[in-house]
Amino acid sequence: MDVVADSTTGTPPVFDHENLALQAQTNLLQLYLTHLASTMVPPMKIEMREPMTPSFSLSGSPNSETDDSLSAALVSSTKALFTLLGTNTTPDSTATAVSKSNNKICSVCGDKSTGLHYGASTCEGCKGFFKRSVQNKKVYHCSQENCCEIDKQNRNRCQSCRFRKCISKGMLTEAVREDRMPGGRNGNSIYSNYKQRRSIIRKTKDYIEEELEERRPFQSLPSGKKLIKELVEMDCLDRLINLRGLRINPSTNCDIAPACKRLTRIGDEIVEQLVEWTKTLPFFEELPVEAHTHLLTQRWAELVLLSAGYYACSVFTPDSPDTTEMIDETDEISFTNEQVNLRLLQNRLSLVLGKDIPFEHVSKEAGVLVHQFTLLLKSFSNLKVSPEAYVCIKAITLLHLSADSTLDKSIIDKVNTLQDHFVKTLQIHLHQPGEDQQTTSLAQILDWLPELRKASSVLLHSKMFYVPFLLCKNPRRLVFDE
DNA sequence: ACTCAAGGCCAG
DNA sequence: CTGGCCTTGAGT
């Protein structure tokens, strides 16, 4: 009955094999993210307001030659990534819509527009202001709260908010020439990349901007119900939960090999889903791709745990604190009892792998992880997080920078500003009346984040990325949508 | 030759 | 620093 135990060696071969493969998968993750950056970044040199460090050579993959097998795997999945990168753009409709709607009015201040300037239809004033700002590498600071309204009358009251609105309206710092050469036209590449990215999130952004044009606490990223609503709609938690690698083909008795192979592909799938999610974020275009790469690389494990945890809480409604009796019979994850979850993992792992896995092996390999995940579930379920709060927490988690971040300072400031914004948005949401006595405070949620971080390090250490998903969803019930 | 988006000039 | 007006020059 127990194939694994037949092995003469003391260590369980199944898990050893997996761990090796999954370790390679972690490296693959890095490569994917780097690859994402290289395909998103135009090959030209890009100068930001602050003197950019040459770290932009990230697209040039300065590292030494990668391992052959990893390269091969990378190449094989490149196609899928390219589809992720949004080739399904509608440049025509975008262009015409923009040119029509912005033909006469400056999109920044509402003054009379004199045409397209640096990517947006603006007046001479905003054009000149943007040019001087970029040329002189100006860094402005808002004396208020980054929420100044910019119109024709008061556009000179706050340079910081004016510049931010320029950016949010699509003006590109890259379009200001470093060599100051007059005349001619900028290469199409400057705008094509931007337009491609913008078209992906155009729907979201336009929607938000229509609703919140008047009162926006933050120019490029409006706060409010619409922002949260979009985030909730874009979240696609089901896609992350219904990982193909965890599905069971009911008709065929899976061999061990394909099952293992599928498990090792889960890293790919997670990256795919997270990249997809990142691209739908309203602030996607506000940050350079290397920033997204950096953030995803650092935070993906936390995002996985958060997503799985939220899914478990939303599906199983953790209102029964005493789950001691639901061992064996029930097929539900426990929020308190890690032994239940270990048993559950054993069952489901055996199911996916198509053979019995001894409990002690599961306990040995995933015990610490299950322990941490169960603790995390318990504390997370106490927060009673709403879908709206969940997407805010997710954004806050992604936008958490380590102290030793290697990003450019201007980017760090931007990321921090964005994170602050989502914290405020979350706070506003929590204070909203109508919810059934939201007792959870912002401080409670923020206090929980270190716990998430701690659990993520365990997840990274174990390399069994799929454990949270396997625990929170029965592989038998995974949706087959292909 | 015309267009249009980039840079420059300079009175306010 | 601002912004209206002028000059440039590749693309059409």
Side-chain angles (χ1 to χ4, degrees):
Chain A
M1 119 184 188
D2 193 346
V3 182
V4 179
D6 290 342
S7 172
T8 51
T9 60
T11 52
V14 170
F15 284 106
D16 277 1
H17 175 76
E18 268 169 38
N19 275 337
L20 276 178
L22 287 172
Q23 190 147 20
Q25 211 64 45
T26 309
N27 300 332
L28 202 60
L29 179 82
Q30 305 275 349
L31 286 175
Y32 271 155
L33 293 168
T34 307
H35 182 74
L36 168 69
S38 66
T39 51
M40 292 296 290
V41 175
M44 71 196 61
K45 187 179 170 189
I46 293 182
E47 290 293 328
M48 301 298 284
R49 276 173 293 156
E50 295 264 11
M52 281 286 286
T53 57
S55 65
F56 224 85
S57 62
L58 179 138
S59 58
S61 65
N63 295 334
S64 56
E65 293 305 312
T66 52
D67 179 52
D68 281 348
S69 59
L70 288 181
S71 303
L74 182 63
V75 169
S76 71
S77 297
T78 300
K79 203 174 177 181
L81 274 176
F82 272 120
T83 40
L84 292 179
L85 293 174
T87 49
N88 56 339
T89 53
T90 54
D92 288 355
S93 59
T94 305
T96 51
V98 167
S99 60
K100 276 180 185 173
S101 62
N102 297 340
N103 239 353
K104 303 188 175 181
I105 296 176
C106 172
S107 57
V108 176
C109 72
D111 198 354
K112 184 186 175 186
S113 166
T114 59
L116 287 172
H117 301 297
Y118 311 108
S121 173
T122 73
C123 63
E124 282 296 310
C126 291
K127 166 197 161 192
F129 168 76
F130 187 79
K131 181 187 69 177
R132 287 190 300 273
S133 300
V134 175
Q135 283 178 338
N136 302 324
K137 303 187 194 313
K138 290 295 181 64
V139 177
Y140 304 119
H141 293 288
C142 178
S143 59
Q144 306 296 310
E145 292 176 32
N146 292 319
C147 57
C148 305
E149 202 166 311
I150 303 298
D151 56 29
K152 185 181 177 181
Q153 281 71 37
N154 60 19
R155 66 189 179 200
N156 288 323
R157 290 170 70 96
C158 178
Q159 293 172 311
S160 176
C161 291
R162 189 185 191 183
F163 189 81
R164 189 167 33 253
K165 191 166 182 183
C166 286
I167 296 289
S168 78
K169 290 298 179 180
M171 298 179 80
L172 297 180
T173 57
E174 301 96 294
V176 178
R177 297 170 189 168
E178 200 180 2
D179 58 7
R180 302 205 164 196
M181 170 102 74
R185 299 278 172 82
N186 271 333
N188 194 36
S189 52
I190 284 186
Y191 297 109
S192 63
N193 184 267
Y194 164 77
K195 281 178 182 172
Q196 189 177 54
R197 278 187 287 162
R198 184 176 178 80
S199 66
I200 296 171
I201 62 165
R202 178 168 49 90
K203 184 184 162 192
T204 308
K205 205 172 174 66
D206 286 354
Y207 181 48
I208 293 171
E209 287 180 358
E210 274 177 29
E211 297 293 324
L212 299 164
E213 187 62 36
E214 295 304 319
R215 294 186 173 200
R216 294 193 293 166
F218 191 72
Q219 290 299 338
S220 61
L221 186 69
S223 78
K225 294 175 184 174
K226 297 301 175 188
L227 173 63
I228 292 183
K229 188 185 171 195
E230 286 293 335
L231 280 174
V232 171
E233 288 176 0
M234 294 293 190
D235 194 58
C236 297
L237 184 57
D238 282 340
R239 279 199 220 158
L240 193 57
I241 299 299
N242 286 293
L243 291 170
R244 291 186 295 273
L246 290 179
R247 293 175 193 172
I248 299 169
N249 192 336
S251 59
T252 316
N253 283 335
C254 299
D255 297 331
I256 301 166
C260 287
K261 201 174 178 182
R262 277 188 291 127
L263 286 182
T264 61
R265 272 188 44 222
I266 286 180
D268 287 330
E269 287 192 58
I270 291 173
V271 173
E272 279 182 34
Q273 294 304 324
L274 289 180
V275 166
E276 196 68 32
W277 169 72
T278 304
K279 290 188 338 192
T280 63
L281 290 172
F283 57 84
F284 177 76
E285 71 177 75
E286 304 294 338
L287 295 175
V289 175
E290 72 264 23
H292 286 293
T293 305
H294 182 85
L295 291 170
L296 263 187
T297 305
Q298 289 200 326
R299 300 296 158 209
W300 70 269
E302 289 171 49
L303 296 172
V304 163
L305 287 170
L306 174 65
S307 302
Y310 172 72
Y311 179 83
C313 288
S314 63
V315 169
F316 298 119
T317 55
D319 46 11
S320 52
D322 48 350
T323 51
T324 48
E325 293 184 13
M326 41 197 292
I327 309 180
D328 292 341
E329 289 304 309
T330 61
D331 194 39
E332 288 192 1
I333 190 170
S334 167
F335 292 80
T336 52
N337 192 331
E338 67 181 84
Q339 290 302 314
V340 174
N341 290 339
L342 265 178
R343 192 69 66 179
L344 190 66
L345 179 63
Q346 181 201 3
N347 292 339
R348 292 184 177 175
L349 202 53
S350 302
L351 203 60
V352 172
L353 289 175
K355 64 178 192 177
D356 286 337
I357 308 293
F359 180 79
E360 52 267 30
H361 288 172
V362 178
S363 179
K364 183 187 172 189
E365 294 296 326
V368 180
L369 177 56
V370 172
H371 173 71
Q372 279 296 329
F373 188 59
T374 307
L375 284 178
L376 194 70
L377 278 176
K378 185 180 182 183
S379 57
F380 186 68
S381 64
N382 286 335
L383 296 176
K384 292 187 168 45
V385 164
S386 64
E388 292 79 12
Y390 156 68
V391 293
C392 288
I393 296 171
K394 207 167 170 182
I396 291 168
T397 300
L398 175 72
L399 292 166
H400 181 80
L401 275 174
S402 302
D404 58 347
S405 172
T406 55
L407 290 175
D408 193 84
K409 189 183 178 303
S410 62
I411 306 297
I412 291 177
D413 289 343
K414 246 181 179 176
V415 172
N416 287 332
T417 304
L418 279 167
Q419 194 192 36
D420 282 349
H421 181 68
F422 277 99
V423 172
K424 286 175 187 168
T425 303
L426 175 59
Q427 186 172 25
I428 291 170
H429 169 75
L430 293 175
H431 284 205
Q432 264 178 358
E435 302 290 325
D436 47 338
Q437 51 173 342
Q438 277 279 355
T439 50
T440 307
S441 70
L442 180 67
Q444 281 175 286
I445 291 178
L446 297 183
D447 282 344
W448 177 80
L449 292 181
E451 219 167 312
L452 176 65
R453 214 157 297 141
K454 184 182 173 188
S456 77
S457 67
V458 175
L459 180 68
L460 285 172
H461 185 71
S462 82
K463 304 289 192 302
M464 296 171 72
F465 310 141
Y466 48 83
V467 165
F469 298 116
L470 206 50
L471 279 175
C472 69
K473 180 130 191 177
N474 189 329
R476 290 185 203 274
R477 296 177 189 163
L478 288 177
V479 179
F480 291 83
D481 57 353
E482 293 175 26

